[in-house]
Amino acid sequence: VLYIGGFITVASGVYVSNLARWSGLQFSTVNGGTNNTVTALGVYDDGAGPALIAGGSFTRAGDAPASRIARWRPSSWTSFGSGITDLVRDIEIFDDGRGPAAFCATNVAVPGGVHHTGVARWNGSAWSSVGHPANGRFTSVNALTSGPLGSAPPSLFAAGRFQPAIGAELNLVAQWTGNLWTPLASAPIGPCSDLIFFDDGQGGGPALFAAGSFTTADGVPANRIAKWDGKQWLPLGEGMDAPINSLAVFDDCLLYTSDAADE
């Protein structure tokens, strides 16, 4: 089943209120949807089975109070504690050594009475902060992703506004080690809108790709898209002439094989 979130009201004549369900044949509402925009979706098992997680700017999901984040299991919505006090931009499910958790990208906010900056962690029962004052903190986060760099174990990565312990605030991509946020480079990359892991076959295994409105990455010209190979940012050709909003990995080999066979 496909779930679609956004600032939407009607899908094929069905009132859906910001969240729609596509069965393959028709659209349906998700128990009343939400009372404001859905900007992020994920699937998380907090011990009671997999559930759809929706994040955004809403304060209600169905008939349940839900501050910017809610859990959907067929027939009912439930909240994540007292929720988050600011917009949720992205959700990433990741195990940082303490068990799988839902990490949420947002602004400075206070989920469940716990002050956090940029990224909040829900372990199934409580919110915790994701940051460390000795290394710096995110003040707002646009994108989260997780995966391995080359042969290294998977890590969590975030892109947003980063405040070092000493110095001015920067747009950076940083890696969460489980204890610290470590910027990938000393110089800013600029505003990023999405992150993804991909092995482009150039050697070294999977690399982290970043996209956004930036034109340099750690001082190297990189027009709106760049690749972090574990040591440095590398441009992708001459890049793009306008900001990039999103990235996806899709195996289209069969499409190209079919095209070649038809010629």
Side-chain angles (χ1 to χ4, degrees), residues 40-68:
L41 294 170
V43 175
Y44 174 54
D45 187 343
D46 59 5
L52 178 73
I53 309 304
S57 57
F58 53 85
T59 55
R60 294 190 69 84
D63 295 328
S67 183
R68 283 81 181 184

PDB file of all heavy atoms in Angstrom, residues 40-68:
ATOM      1  N   ALA A  40       6.796  14.387   6.202  1.00  0.00           N
ATOM      2  CA  ALA A  40       7.706  13.244   6.307  1.00  0.00           C
ATOM      3  C   ALA A  40       6.919  12.002   6.685  1.00  0.00           C
ATOM      4  O   ALA A  40       5.966  12.067   7.468  1.00  0.00           O
ATOM      5  CB  ALA A  40       8.787  13.517   7.350  1.00  0.00           C
ATOM      6  N   LEU A  41       7.341  10.854   6.129  1.00  0.00           N
ATOM      7  CA  LEU A  41       6.728   9.570   6.439  1.00  0.00           C
ATOM      8  C   LEU A  41       7.824   8.530   6.669  1.00  0.00           C
ATOM      9  O   LEU A  41       8.892   8.593   6.048  1.00  0.00           O
ATOM     10  CB  LEU A  41       5.828   9.100   5.298  1.00  0.00           C
ATOM     11  CG  LEU A  41       4.578   9.929   5.006  1.00  0.00           C
ATOM     12  CD1 LEU A  41       3.934   9.478   3.697  1.00  0.00           C
ATOM     13  CD2 LEU A  41       3.574   9.814   6.151  1.00  0.00           C
ATOM     14  N   GLY A  42       7.566   7.575   7.526  1.00  0.00           N
ATOM     15  CA  GLY A  42       8.501   6.492   7.775  1.00  0.00           C
ATOM     16  C   GLY A  42       7.767   5.306   8.365  1.00  0.00           C
ATOM     17  O   GLY A  42       6.574   5.400   8.691  1.00  0.00           O
ATOM     18  N   VAL A  43       8.448   4.181   8.507  1.00  0.00           N
ATOM     19  CA  VAL A  43       7.875   2.983   9.115  1.00  0.00           C
ATOM     20  C   VAL A  43       8.776   2.574  10.275  1.00  0.00           C
ATOM     21  O   VAL A  43       9.989   2.406  10.101  1.00  0.00           O
ATOM     22  CB  VAL A  43       7.751   1.838   8.092  1.00  0.00           C
ATOM     23  CG1 VAL A  43       7.258   0.572   8.781  1.00  0.00           C
ATOM     24  CG2 VAL A  43       6.829   2.235   6.953  1.00  0.00           C
ATOM     25  N   TYR A  44       8.177   2.405  11.461  1.00  0.00           N
ATOM     26  CA  TYR A  44       8.962   2.136  12.663  1.00  0.00           C
ATOM     27  C   TYR A  44       8.232   1.117  13.530  1.00  0.00           C
ATOM     28  O   TYR A  44       7.017   1.206  13.736  1.00  0.00           O
ATOM     29  CB  TYR A  44       9.180   3.439  13.444  1.00  0.00           C
ATOM     30  CG  TYR A  44       9.849   3.282  14.787  1.00  0.00           C
ATOM     31  CD1 TYR A  44      11.072   2.624  14.899  1.00  0.00           C
ATOM     32  CD2 TYR A  44       9.272   3.799  15.943  1.00  0.00           C
ATOM     33  CE1 TYR A  44      11.695   2.488  16.132  1.00  0.00           C
ATOM     34  CE2 TYR A  44       9.889   3.680  17.175  1.00  0.00           C
ATOM     35  CZ  TYR A  44      11.096   3.017  17.265  1.00  0.00           C
ATOM     36  OH  TYR A  44      11.720   2.876  18.485  1.00  0.00           O
ATOM     37  N   ASP A  45       8.976   0.143  14.047  1.00  0.00           N
ATOM     38  CA  ASP A  45       8.446  -0.861  14.963  1.00  0.00           C
ATOM     39  C   ASP A  45       8.962  -0.544  16.354  1.00  0.00           C
ATOM     40  O   ASP A  45      10.156  -0.693  16.641  1.00  0.00           O
ATOM     41  CB  ASP A  45       8.892  -2.257  14.536  1.00  0.00           C
ATOM     42  CG  ASP A  45       8.236  -3.361  15.343  1.00  0.00           C
ATOM     43  OD1 ASP A  45       7.702  -3.071  16.430  1.00  0.00           O
ATOM     44  OD2 ASP A  45       8.277  -4.523  14.894  1.00  0.00           O
ATOM     45  N   ASP A  46       8.070  -0.094  17.236  1.00  0.00           N
ATOM     46  CA  ASP A  46       8.485   0.261  18.596  1.00  0.00           C
ATOM     47  C   ASP A  46       8.271  -0.888  19.580  1.00  0.00           C
ATOM     48  O   ASP A  46       8.275  -0.690  20.787  1.00  0.00           O
ATOM     49  CB  ASP A  46       7.735   1.502  19.071  1.00  0.00           C
ATOM     50  CG  ASP A  46       6.218   1.301  19.071  1.00  0.00           C
ATOM     51  OD1 ASP A  46       5.766   0.176  18.789  1.00  0.00           O
ATOM     52  OD2 ASP A  46       5.493   2.274  19.363  1.00  0.00           O
ATOM     53  N   GLY A  47       8.108  -2.102  19.037  1.00  0.00           N
ATOM     54  CA  GLY A  47       7.914  -3.266  19.870  1.00  0.00           C
ATOM     55  C   GLY A  47       6.519  -3.840  19.778  1.00  0.00           C
ATOM     56  O   GLY A  47       6.272  -4.977  20.199  1.00  0.00           O
ATOM     57  N   ALA A  48       5.598  -3.059  19.210  1.00  0.00           N
ATOM     58  CA  ALA A  48       4.211  -3.506  19.067  1.00  0.00           C
ATOM     59  C   ALA A  48       3.869  -3.807  17.619  1.00  0.00           C
ATOM     60  O   ALA A  48       2.706  -3.899  17.260  1.00  0.00           O
ATOM     61  CB  ALA A  48       3.267  -2.452  19.631  1.00  0.00           C
ATOM     62  N   GLY A  49       4.894  -3.927  16.790  1.00  0.00           N
ATOM     63  CA  GLY A  49       4.678  -4.180  15.371  1.00  0.00           C
ATOM     64  C   GLY A  49       4.905  -2.926  14.544  1.00  0.00           C
ATOM     65  O   GLY A  49       4.882  -1.807  15.068  1.00  0.00           O
ATOM     66  N   PRO A  50       5.152  -3.079  13.235  1.00  0.00           N
ATOM     67  CA  PRO A  50       5.413  -1.930  12.370  1.00  0.00           C
ATOM     68  C   PRO A  50       4.233  -0.964  12.349  1.00  0.00           C
ATOM     69  O   PRO A  50       3.070  -1.366  12.385  1.00  0.00           O
ATOM     70  CB  PRO A  50       5.633  -2.554  10.987  1.00  0.00           C
ATOM     71  CG  PRO A  50       5.988  -3.976  11.268  1.00  0.00           C
ATOM     72  CD  PRO A  50       5.224  -4.353  12.502  1.00  0.00           C
ATOM     73  N   ALA A  51       4.552   0.319  12.296  1.00  0.00           N
ATOM     74  CA  ALA A  51       3.536   1.363  12.212  1.00  0.00           C
ATOM     75  C   ALA A  51       4.018   2.438  11.245  1.00  0.00           C
ATOM     76  O   ALA A  51       5.226   2.646  11.072  1.00  0.00           O
ATOM     77  CB  ALA A  51       3.259   1.972  13.585  1.00  0.00           C
ATOM     78  N   LEU A  52       3.073   3.124  10.622  1.00  0.00           N
ATOM     79  CA  LEU A  52       3.401   4.271   9.780  1.00  0.00           C
ATOM     80  C   LEU A  52       3.604   5.482  10.675  1.00  0.00           C
ATOM     81  O   LEU A  52       2.768   5.765  11.548  1.00  0.00           O
ATOM     82  CB  LEU A  52       2.263   4.539   8.793  1.00  0.00           C
ATOM     83  CG  LEU A  52       2.467   5.753   7.870  1.00  0.00           C
ATOM     84  CD1 LEU A  52       3.506   5.450   6.807  1.00  0.00           C
ATOM     85  CD2 LEU A  52       1.139   6.166   7.237  1.00  0.00           C
ATOM     86  N   ILE A  53       4.702   6.183  10.467  1.00  0.00           N
ATOM     87  CA  ILE A  53       4.990   7.391  11.229  1.00  0.00           C
ATOM     88  C   ILE A  53       4.838   8.588  10.303  1.00  0.00           C
ATOM     89  O   ILE A  53       5.442   8.631   9.232  1.00  0.00           O
ATOM     90  CB  ILE A  53       6.421   7.369  11.811  1.00  0.00           C
ATOM     91  CG1 ILE A  53       6.675   6.058  12.566  1.00  0.00           C
ATOM     92  CG2 ILE A  53       6.643   8.574  12.712  1.00  0.00           C
ATOM     93  CD1 ILE A  53       5.702   5.766  13.663  1.00  0.00           C
ATOM     94  N   ALA A  54       4.036   9.559  10.709  1.00  0.00           N
ATOM     95  CA  ALA A  54       3.838  10.783   9.936  1.00  0.00           C
ATOM     96  C   ALA A  54       4.356  11.967  10.740  1.00  0.00           C
ATOM     97  O   ALA A  54       4.108  12.070  11.946  1.00  0.00           O
ATOM     98  CB  ALA A  54       2.361  10.976   9.609  1.00  0.00           C
ATOM     99  N   GLY A  55       5.085  12.843  10.072  1.00  0.00           N
ATOM    100  CA  GLY A  55       5.571  14.057  10.708  1.00  0.00           C
ATOM    101  C   GLY A  55       5.202  15.260   9.868  1.00  0.00           C
ATOM    102  O   GLY A  55       5.002  15.153   8.653  1.00  0.00           O
ATOM    103  N   GLY A  56       5.100  16.419  10.487  1.00  0.00           N
ATOM    104  CA  GLY A  56       4.749  17.623   9.742  1.00  0.00           C
ATOM    105  C   GLY A  56       4.495  18.795  10.655  1.00  0.00           C
ATOM    106  O   GLY A  56       5.188  18.980  11.661  1.00  0.00           O
ATOM    107  N   SER A  57       3.458  19.571  10.321  1.00  0.00           N
ATOM    108  CA  SER A  57       3.125  20.764  11.105  1.00  0.00           C
ATOM    109  C   SER A  57       1.768  20.626  11.784  1.00  0.00           C
ATOM    110  O   SER A  57       1.239  21.607  12.317  1.00  0.00           O
ATOM    111  CB  SER A  57       3.122  22.002  10.201  1.00  0.00           C
ATOM    112  OG  SER A  57       2.221  21.837   9.116  1.00  0.00           O
ATOM    113  N   PHE A  58       1.188  19.444  11.777  1.00  0.00           N
ATOM    114  CA  PHE A  58      -0.149  19.220  12.329  1.00  0.00           C
ATOM    115  C   PHE A  58      -0.136  19.139  13.858  1.00  0.00           C
ATOM    116  O   PHE A  58       0.917  18.935  14.478  1.00  0.00           O
ATOM    117  CB  PHE A  58      -0.752  17.937  11.746  1.00  0.00           C
ATOM    118  CG  PHE A  58       0.120  16.721  11.880  1.00  0.00           C
ATOM    119  CD1 PHE A  58       0.115  15.960  13.040  1.00  0.00           C
ATOM    120  CD2 PHE A  58       0.953  16.317  10.839  1.00  0.00           C
ATOM    121  CE1 PHE A  58       0.921  14.831  13.169  1.00  0.00           C
ATOM    122  CE2 PHE A  58       1.763  15.186  10.950  1.00  0.00           C
ATOM    123  CZ  PHE A  58       1.747  14.446  12.121  1.00  0.00           C
ATOM    124  N   THR A  59      -1.320  19.274  14.439  1.00  0.00           N
ATOM    125  CA  THR A  59      -1.486  19.136  15.889  1.00  0.00           C
ATOM    126  C   THR A  59      -2.533  18.083  16.239  1.00  0.00           C
ATOM    127  O   THR A  59      -2.735  17.789  17.422  1.00  0.00           O
ATOM    128  CB  THR A  59      -1.893  20.468  16.532  1.00  0.00           C
ATOM    129  OG1 THR A  59      -3.082  20.962  15.890  1.00  0.00           O
ATOM    130  CG2 THR A  59      -0.773  21.497  16.395  1.00  0.00           C
ATOM    131  N   ARG A  60      -3.185  17.529  15.200  1.00  0.00           N
ATOM    132  CA  ARG A  60      -4.117  16.427  15.405  1.00  0.00           C
ATOM    133  C   ARG A  60      -3.969  15.424  14.264  1.00  0.00           C
ATOM    134  O   ARG A  60      -3.712  15.810  13.118  1.00  0.00           O
ATOM    135  CB  ARG A  60      -5.571  16.897  15.469  1.00  0.00           C
ATOM    136  CG  ARG A  60      -5.913  17.760  16.670  1.00  0.00           C
ATOM    137  CD  ARG A  60      -7.410  17.980  16.782  1.00  0.00           C
ATOM    138  NE  ARG A  60      -8.121  16.742  17.152  1.00  0.00           N
ATOM    139  CZ  ARG A  60      -8.256  16.316  18.401  1.00  0.00           C
ATOM    140  NH1 ARG A  60      -7.731  17.009  19.404  1.00  0.00           N
ATOM    141  NH2 ARG A  60      -8.914  15.209  18.667  1.00  0.00           N
ATOM    142  N   ALA A  61      -4.151  14.132  14.589  1.00  0.00           N
ATOM    143  CA  ALA A  61      -4.177  13.068  13.589  1.00  0.00           C
ATOM    144  C   ALA A  61      -5.422  12.241  13.866  1.00  0.00           C
ATOM    145  O   ALA A  61      -5.535  11.639  14.945  1.00  0.00           O
ATOM    146  CB  ALA A  61      -2.924  12.209  13.673  1.00  0.00           C
ATOM    147  N   GLY A  62      -6.365  12.233  12.914  1.00  0.00           N
ATOM    148  CA  GLY A  62      -7.653  11.627  13.192  1.00  0.00           C
ATOM    149  C   GLY A  62      -8.316  12.364  14.333  1.00  0.00           C
ATOM    150  O   GLY A  62      -8.402  13.591  14.328  1.00  0.00           O
ATOM    151  N   ASP A  63      -8.728  11.648  15.356  1.00  0.00           N
ATOM    152  CA  ASP A  63      -9.336  12.260  16.541  1.00  0.00           C
ATOM    153  C   ASP A  63      -8.345  12.438  17.677  1.00  0.00           C
ATOM    154  O   ASP A  63      -8.716  12.855  18.777  1.00  0.00           O
ATOM    155  CB  ASP A  63     -10.512  11.403  17.035  1.00  0.00           C
ATOM    156  CG  ASP A  63     -11.662  11.359  16.033  1.00  0.00           C
ATOM    157  OD1 ASP A  63     -11.854  12.369  15.331  1.00  0.00           O
ATOM    158  OD2 ASP A  63     -12.341  10.314  15.960  1.00  0.00           O
ATOM    159  N   ALA A  64      -7.074  12.105  17.442  1.00  0.00           N
ATOM    160  CA  ALA A  64      -6.084  12.122  18.519  1.00  0.00           C
ATOM    161  C   ALA A  64      -5.224  13.385  18.490  1.00  0.00           C
ATOM    162  O   ALA A  64      -4.745  13.779  17.427  1.00  0.00           O
ATOM    163  CB  ALA A  64      -5.180  10.898  18.417  1.00  0.00           C
ATOM    164  N   PRO A  65      -4.998  14.028  19.628  1.00  0.00           N
ATOM    165  CA  PRO A  65      -4.010  15.113  19.685  1.00  0.00           C
ATOM    166  C   PRO A  65      -2.642  14.546  19.334  1.00  0.00           C
ATOM    167  O   PRO A  65      -2.255  13.487  19.829  1.00  0.00           O
ATOM    168  CB  PRO A  65      -4.063  15.570  21.146  1.00  0.00           C
ATOM    169  CG  PRO A  65      -5.362  15.064  21.674  1.00  0.00           C
ATOM    170  CD  PRO A  65      -5.640  13.791  20.934  1.00  0.00           C
ATOM    171  N   ALA A  66      -1.918  15.250  18.465  1.00  0.00           N
ATOM    172  CA  ALA A  66      -0.610  14.755  18.018  1.00  0.00           C
ATOM    173  C   ALA A  66       0.208  15.942  17.557  1.00  0.00           C
ATOM    174  O   ALA A  66      -0.029  16.488  16.486  1.00  0.00           O
ATOM    175  CB  ALA A  66      -0.773  13.737  16.894  1.00  0.00           C
ATOM    176  N   SER A  67       1.176  16.334  18.341  1.00  0.00           N
ATOM    177  CA  SER A  67       1.960  17.524  18.050  1.00  0.00           C
ATOM    178  C   SER A  67       3.103  17.222  17.088  1.00  0.00           C
ATOM    179  O   SER A  67       4.170  16.764  17.474  1.00  0.00           O
ATOM    180  CB  SER A  67       2.519  18.116  19.349  1.00  0.00           C
ATOM    181  OG  SER A  67       3.229  19.309  19.093  1.00  0.00           O
ATOM    182  N   ARG A  68       2.824  17.434  15.787  1.00  0.00           N
ATOM    183  CA  ARG A  68       3.809  17.351  14.689  1.00  0.00           C
ATOM    184  C   ARG A  68       4.280  15.939  14.349  1.00  0.00           C
ATOM    185  O   ARG A  68       4.988  15.755  13.364  1.00  0.00           O
ATOM    186  CB  ARG A  68       5.028  18.232  14.950  1.00  0.00           C
ATOM    187  CG  ARG A  68       4.795  19.696  14.699  1.00  0.00           C
ATOM    188  CD  ARG A  68       4.098  20.341  15.858  1.00  0.00           C
ATOM    189  NE  ARG A  68       3.835  21.763  15.648  1.00  0.00           N
ATOM    190  CZ  ARG A  68       3.307  22.563  16.568  1.00  0.00           C
ATOM    191  NH1 ARG A  68       3.005  22.088  17.765  1.00  0.00           N
ATOM    192  NH2 ARG A  68       3.076  23.822  16.306  1.00  0.00           N
TER     193      ARG A  68
END
